[in-house]
Amino acid sequence: MTDRIRIAPSILSADFAAFGAECEAIEAQGADWVHVDVMDGHFVPNLTFGPAMVKALRPHVKTVMDVHLMIAPADPYLAAFAEAGADVLTVHVEAGPHLHRSLQAVRALGCKAGVALNPATPAEAIEYLLDDIDLVCVMTVNPGFGGQGFIGSQLEKVRHLRAMLGDRPVHVEIDGGVTPETAPLVAAAGADVLVAGSAVFRGGSVANPAPYGANIRAIRAAAEAALRAPEPV
């Protein structure tokens, strides 16, 4: 699945008063996906928004709406987020007692099924679910806040996951601390979807979106350069 790097800006770093326009701006500037972080103030120490906001954003997103549920329990809300327009629904391993059932429910609702691994959650936690997922999200920061530093120990987890997945058509997504400096590391390890918040939105605005495009291109170029680099001897 590393044939192409996809950049998924996280709107957690966008202007909250102009979410719809921000989604349109990042897509116009080259974003492949739009990453929507849903937080409940319980599973993570922050509170963002729910299905109503996702539904309001949907008309402004023409690409892929990648909805990351940092909530527990997640199961009671899957249908609401699917109906709101999510294309990908990602739940955390720890967000419910029956992860396999949660993933089945996501697919039954017509969404791609994602599973997220916190920094302390081992790759082996999803070893027996690899045929039931469309995406695995490796958290390279602790979930809950944007702007955190990249946790380098997760690179080995990415490599391990890519080996475990084999030729399965499953995306490996990185969420947290993605910059032009860290993008090559995660791409070389096997990631193909890069979530970036502050690194995309820094320096720009709806009125001046050009920096968004420059930031997206810088992250993409750095990641793709790593894929073209020769294997070490």
Side-chain angles (χ1 to χ4, degrees), residues 62-79:
K62 307 304 181 188
T63 58
V64 173
M65 181 176 274
D66 177 28
V67 178
H68 179 187
L69 299 180
M70 287 175 269
I71 65 176
D75 287 2
Y77 303 97
L78 297 178

Side-chain angles (χ1 to χ4, degrees), residues 107-204:
R107 283 184 164 178
L109 289 164
C111 298
K112 298 293 186 182
V115 60
L117 305 179
N118 286 331
T121 305
E124 286 76 12
I126 60 168
E127 183 177 2
Y128 298 105
L129 299 173
L130 299 179
D131 293 318
D132 302 293
I133 60 176
D134 302 291
L135 176 147
V136 54
C137 174
V138 177
M139 296 300 302
T140 45
V141 298
N142 285 296
F145 292 96
Q148 299 181 63
F150 181 84
I151 301 175
S153 63
Q154 301 306 296
L155 290 171
E156 178 55 35
K157 185 187 293 182
V158 176
R159 287 189 284 267
H160 186 33
L161 281 166
R162 185 51 74 189
M164 287 171 60
L165 288 165
D167 61 358
R168 294 178 177 86
V170 176
H171 293 293
V172 175
E173 180 178 75
I174 298 298
D175 189 353
V178 171
T179 66
E181 291 69 42
T182 58
L185 305 178
V186 296
D192 65 306
V193 179
L194 309 186
V195 176
S198 55
V200 165
F201 287 95
R202 183 180 295 116

Side-chain angles (χ1 to χ4, degrees), residues 30-48:
D32 301 292
W33 295 9
V34 174
H35 188 82
V36 182
D37 289 301
V38 176
M39 305 181 188
D40 63 1
H42 167 70
F43 184 68
V44 293
N46 200 358
L47 185 66
T48 56

Side-chain angles (χ1 to χ4, degrees), residues 1-43:
M1 293 299 292
T2 54
D3 60 316
R4 183 168 75 87
I5 296 295
R6 295 155 181 85
I7 308 299
S10 167
I11 62 169
L12 190 64
S13 296
D15 179 356
F16 278 33
F19 268 146
E22 289 276 49
C23 290
E24 293 174 2
I26 56 177
E27 288 190 332
Q29 292 294 324
D32 301 292
W33 295 9
V34 174
H35 188 82
V36 182
D37 289 301
V38 176
M39 305 181 188
D40 63 1
H42 167 70
F43 184 68

